[in-house]
């Protein structure tokens, strides 16, 4: 069966520091991969999606970037974090519908 | 992109049946309809998925009319643990249709003792 791993679960980073969140999927090949962000009490905002290695589509211009160096690996990065980057970040893969990791709670201080 | 519209919130007493309706007027031929449940600080959890008519599993039923422009998630005999946000998603992430899986604002269901 397919599983998705996302880490770390929580992260506290100072303003201006870099960020790297990693997501890996097992049990499927060539999945479509997604990064979402959820602010407190808000809905899911699609940030990036990828349909293959090296193929990244950005939904919202911002301080973040994404990369897909391997078929089942999706990375969310930032060179310099802003306070407004705080939130709950979720990685997902899709077949028919999306299947989510457990999320990373990022607090920028 | 198929956009969805749901009620922002609903309240229900324990033991009642709850129906949450989602509107998706511009659903595409290849799009499936999927419902998710999300608890605070957790990723959304798949509940049920359908294309047309009625689908039932051990936790919910999904009703989709012939025109597919709406769908209704039915939760039988809710309990306090069903208090969560419920999202309707319309899309086909498998690639036959749009790759973009964009969620609506969700419905916050509060179950009252």
């Amino acid at each position: 069966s397919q599983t998705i791993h996302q880490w770390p679960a929580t992260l506290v980073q100072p303003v201006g520091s870099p960020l790297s969140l990693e997501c890996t999927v097992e049990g499927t090949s060539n999945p479509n991969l997604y990064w979402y962000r959820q602010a407190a009490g808000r809905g899911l905002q699609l940030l990036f999606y990828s349909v293959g290695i090296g193929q990244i589509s950005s939904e919202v211009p911002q301080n973040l970037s994404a990369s897909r160096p391997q078929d089942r690996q999706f990375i969310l990065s930032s060179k310099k974090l802003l306070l407004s980057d705080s939130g709950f970040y979720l990685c997902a893969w899709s077949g028919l519908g999306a299947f989510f990791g457990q999320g990373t709670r990022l607090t920028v201080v | 992109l198929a956009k969805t519209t749901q009620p922002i919130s609903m309240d229900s007493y324990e033991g009642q049946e709850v129906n949450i309706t989602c509107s998706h007027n511009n659903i595409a031929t290849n799009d499936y309809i999927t419902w998710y449940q999300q608890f605070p600080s957790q990723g959304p959890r798949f509940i049920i998925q359908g294309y047309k008519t009625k689908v039932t599993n051990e936790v919910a039923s999904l009703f989709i009319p012939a025109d597919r422009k709406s769908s209704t998630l039915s939760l039988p005999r809710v309990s306090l643990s069903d208090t969560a946000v419920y999202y309707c998603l319309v899309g086909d992430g498998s690639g036959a249709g749009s790759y973009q899986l964009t969620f609506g604002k969700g419905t916050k269901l509060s179950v009252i003792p």
Side-chain angles (χ1 to χ4, degrees):
Chain A
S1 63
Q2 300 88 356
T3 56
I4 181 167
H5 303 281
Q6 184 181 345
W7 66 92
T10 60
L11 190 60
V12 179
Q13 291 283 100
V15 169
S17 64
L19 172 73
S20 181
L21 300 181
E22 188 165 344
C23 170
T24 59
V25 180
E26 296 178 357
T28 185
S29 59
N30 196 30
N32 297 330
L33 297 174
Y34 303 80
W35 278 111
Y36 292 85
R37 177 171 61 197
Q38 189 170 37
R42 306 293 294 274
L44 296 157
Q45 179 187 31
L46 179 61
L47 301 176
F48 302 95
Y49 68 94
S50 171
V51 301
I53 296 173
Q55 301 179 61
I56 309 295
S57 295
S58 175
E59 289 298 295
V60 182
Q62 58 209 317
N63 187 41
L64 302 169
S65 62
S67 61
R68 185 169 178 175
Q70 300 180 43
D71 181 45
R72 289 170 287 179
Q73 183 185 31
F74 204 23
I75 298 172
L76 183 69
S77 304
S78 173
K79 292 182 179 178
K80 290 185 178 182
L81 284 169
L82 306 172
L83 287 174
S84 58
D85 291 323
S86 293
F88 190 49
Y89 288 83
L90 288 155
C91 179
W93 75 273
S94 72
L96 288 175
F99 300 90
F100 289 83
Q102 285 304 299
T104 297
R105 173 73 59 193
L106 171 66
T107 304
V108 183
V109 297
Chain B
L1 293 177
K3 291 188 176 180
T4 60
T5 304
Q6 303 173 233
I8 293 174
S9 64
M10 294 181 69
D11 293 336
S12 175
Y13 288 102
E14 272 192 295
Q16 289 189 328
E17 177 185 75
V18 171
N19 295 310
I20 306 175
T21 297
C22 179
S23 298
H24 29 80
N25 290 320
N26 57 341
I27 187 170
T29 302
N30 292 327
D31 287 342
Y32 278 70
I33 300 158
T34 312
W35 284 81
Y36 298 84
Q37 176 191 57
Q38 187 182 26
F39 297 112
S41 297
Q42 294 186 25
R45 182 177 73 95
F46 173 97
I47 302 174
I48 196 167
Q49 184 180 73
Y51 185 80
K52 62 180 178 180
T53 62
K54 178 183 174 182
V55 180
T56 298
N57 62 22
E58 63 275 10
V59 297
S61 294
L62 178 59
F63 299 91
I64 305 168
D67 65 6
R68 304 200 328 122
K69 294 187 176 183
S70 67
S71 58
T72 299
L73 173 72
S74 181
L75 304 172
R77 297 180 300 281
V78 294
S79 64
L80 295 176
S81 62
D82 292 317
T83 294
V85 178
Y86 292 82
Y87 292 95
C88 155
L89 175 67
V90 173
D92 177 11
S94 69
S98 169
Y99 294 108
Q100 293 168 282
L101 297 181
T102 303
F103 286 78
K105 297 183 185 301
T107 298
K108 183 172 183 179
L109 172 65
S110 298
V111 179
I112 305 165

